[in-house]
Short mmCIF file of all heavy atoms in Angstrom, two decimals:
data_model
loop_
_atom_site.label_atom_id
_atom_site.label_comp_id
_atom_site.label_asym_id
_atom_site.label_seq_id
_atom_site.Cartn_x
_atom_site.Cartn_y
_atom_site.Cartn_z
N VAL R 112 142.75 66.28 -3.39
CA VAL R 112 142.70 65.97 -4.84
C VAL R 112 143.94 65.22 -5.19
O VAL R 112 145.07 65.58 -5.02
CB VAL R 112 142.66 67.24 -5.65
CG1 VAL R 112 142.40 66.94 -7.15
CG2 VAL R 112 141.58 68.24 -5.07
N GLU R 113 143.71 64.02 -5.78
CA GLU R 113 144.76 63.27 -6.40
C GLU R 113 144.95 63.63 -7.88
O GLU R 113 143.92 63.57 -8.62
CB GLU R 113 144.50 61.76 -6.29
CG GLU R 113 144.45 61.20 -4.87
CD GLU R 113 144.06 59.76 -4.74
OE1 GLU R 113 144.25 59.01 -5.75
OE2 GLU R 113 143.50 59.39 -3.72
N ILE R 114 146.13 64.03 -8.28
CA ILE R 114 146.34 64.55 -9.63
C ILE R 114 147.54 63.79 -10.20
O ILE R 114 148.38 63.24 -9.47
CB ILE R 114 146.59 66.11 -9.68
CG1 ILE R 114 147.79 66.45 -8.72
CG2 ILE R 114 145.34 66.77 -9.24
CD1 ILE R 114 148.22 67.93 -8.80
N GLU R 115 147.62 63.84 -11.59
CA GLU R 115 148.68 63.17 -12.26
C GLU R 115 148.96 64.02 -13.47
O GLU R 115 148.10 64.55 -14.10
CB GLU R 115 148.23 61.77 -12.66
CG GLU R 115 149.21 60.93 -13.39
CD GLU R 115 148.75 59.53 -13.67
OE1 GLU R 115 147.62 59.15 -13.12
OE2 GLU R 115 149.40 58.81 -14.40
N ASN R 116 150.28 64.03 -13.87
CA ASN R 116 150.59 64.77 -15.02
C ASN R 116 151.01 63.84 -16.22
O ASN R 116 150.92 62.61 -16.09
CB ASN R 116 151.77 65.81 -14.81
CG ASN R 116 153.11 65.10 -14.43
OD1 ASN R 116 153.34 63.89 -14.63
ND2 ASN R 116 154.03 65.89 -13.86
N ASP R 117 151.37 64.40 -17.31
CA ASP R 117 151.73 63.66 -18.51
C ASP R 117 152.84 62.70 -18.32
O ASP R 117 152.98 61.71 -19.09
CB ASP R 117 152.01 64.64 -19.69
CG ASP R 117 150.78 65.35 -20.16
OD1 ASP R 117 149.68 64.84 -20.04
OD2 ASP R 117 150.95 66.56 -20.62
N LEU R 118 153.76 63.02 -17.38
CA LEU R 118 154.88 62.17 -17.11
C LEU R 118 154.62 61.05 -16.14
O LEU R 118 155.47 60.28 -15.79
CB LEU R 118 156.06 63.02 -16.56
CG LEU R 118 156.50 64.19 -17.47
CD1 LEU R 118 157.52 65.07 -16.70
CD2 LEU R 118 157.07 63.69 -18.73
N GLY R 119 153.35 60.96 -15.71
CA GLY R 119 152.99 59.88 -14.75
C GLY R 119 153.27 60.32 -13.28
O GLY R 119 153.05 59.47 -12.44
N GLU R 120 153.69 61.49 -13.05
CA GLU R 120 153.95 61.94 -11.65
C GLU R 120 152.60 62.10 -10.97
O GLU R 120 151.69 62.72 -11.52
CB GLU R 120 154.64 63.22 -11.57
CG GLU R 120 156.11 63.30 -12.10
CD GLU R 120 156.59 64.71 -12.14
OE1 GLU R 120 157.16 65.12 -11.01
OE2 GLU R 120 156.54 65.39 -13.16
N GLN R 121 152.47 61.60 -9.76
CA GLN R 121 151.23 61.74 -9.07
C GLN R 121 151.50 62.44 -7.75
O GLN R 121 152.50 62.35 -7.15
CB GLN R 121 150.68 60.28 -8.71
CG GLN R 121 150.25 59.55 -9.92
CD GLN R 121 149.56 58.25 -9.64
OE1 GLN R 121 149.69 57.73 -8.49
NE2 GLN R 121 148.90 57.69 -10.62
N LYS R 122 150.45 63.20 -7.33
CA LYS R 122 150.46 64.02 -6.13
C LYS R 122 149.08 63.97 -5.49
O LYS R 122 148.09 63.87 -6.28
CB LYS R 122 150.84 65.44 -6.41
CG LYS R 122 152.20 65.77 -6.85
CD LYS R 122 152.32 67.31 -7.01
CE LYS R 122 153.76 67.67 -7.39
NZ LYS R 122 154.00 69.07 -7.23
N THR R 123 149.01 64.07 -4.26
CA THR R 123 147.81 64.36 -3.53
C THR R 123 147.98 65.65 -2.87
O THR R 123 148.94 65.85 -2.06
CB THR R 123 147.46 63.28 -2.52
OG1 THR R 123 147.37 61.97 -3.22
CG2 THR R 123 146.10 63.50 -1.83
N VAL R 124 147.05 66.56 -3.14
CA VAL R 124 147.11 67.92 -2.46
C VAL R 124 145.80 68.28 -1.82
O VAL R 124 144.77 67.68 -2.21
CB VAL R 124 147.50 69.00 -3.50
CG1 VAL R 124 148.86 68.79 -4.05
CG2 VAL R 124 146.53 69.09 -4.59
N GLN R 138 151.30 68.56 1.85
CA GLN R 138 150.32 68.40 0.86
C GLN R 138 149.37 69.59 0.73
O GLN R 138 148.63 69.75 -0.20
CB GLN R 138 149.53 67.11 1.07
CG GLN R 138 150.34 65.88 0.95
CD GLN R 138 149.58 64.61 1.30
OE1 GLN R 138 148.98 64.55 2.35
NE2 GLN R 138 149.59 63.64 0.42
N TRP R 170 147.75 68.65 -15.97
CA TRP R 170 147.45 67.71 -14.89
C TRP R 170 146.06 67.15 -15.17
O TRP R 170 145.23 67.77 -15.77
CB TRP R 170 147.54 68.40 -13.57
CG TRP R 170 148.92 68.86 -13.13
CD1 TRP R 170 149.52 70.05 -13.49
CD2 TRP R 170 149.85 68.13 -12.43
NE1 TRP R 170 150.79 70.12 -12.97
CE2 TRP R 170 150.99 68.89 -12.27
CE3 TRP R 170 149.86 66.89 -11.80
CZ2 TRP R 170 152.15 68.51 -11.59
CZ3 TRP R 170 150.94 66.43 -11.09
CH2 TRP R 170 152.13 67.26 -10.99
N TYR R 171 145.82 65.96 -14.57
CA TYR R 171 144.54 65.34 -14.67
C TYR R 171 144.06 64.96 -13.20
O TYR R 171 144.92 64.62 -12.34
CB TYR R 171 144.68 64.01 -15.44
CG TYR R 171 145.31 64.25 -16.77
CD1 TYR R 171 146.67 64.18 -16.99
CD2 TYR R 171 144.45 64.57 -17.87
CE1 TYR R 171 147.17 64.45 -18.23
CE2 TYR R 171 144.98 64.85 -19.13
CZ TYR R 171 146.40 64.72 -19.29
OH TYR R 171 146.97 65.03 -20.53
N ASN R 173 142.43 62.61 -10.71
CA ASN R 173 142.22 61.17 -10.58
C ASN R 173 141.14 60.86 -9.48
O ASN R 173 140.41 59.94 -9.60
CB ASN R 173 143.43 60.38 -10.21
CG ASN R 173 144.44 60.29 -11.35
OD1 ASN R 173 144.03 60.49 -12.54
ND2 ASN R 173 145.68 60.11 -11.01
#
Side-chain angles (χ1 to χ4, degrees):
V112 188
E113 292 176 27
I114 57 176
E115 183 175 350
N116 67 15
D117 293 328
L118 303 174
E120 293 176 84
Q121 295 184 343
K122 291 182 178 193
T123 300
V124 296
Q138 294 175 309
W170 292 87
Y171 306 89
N173 289 338

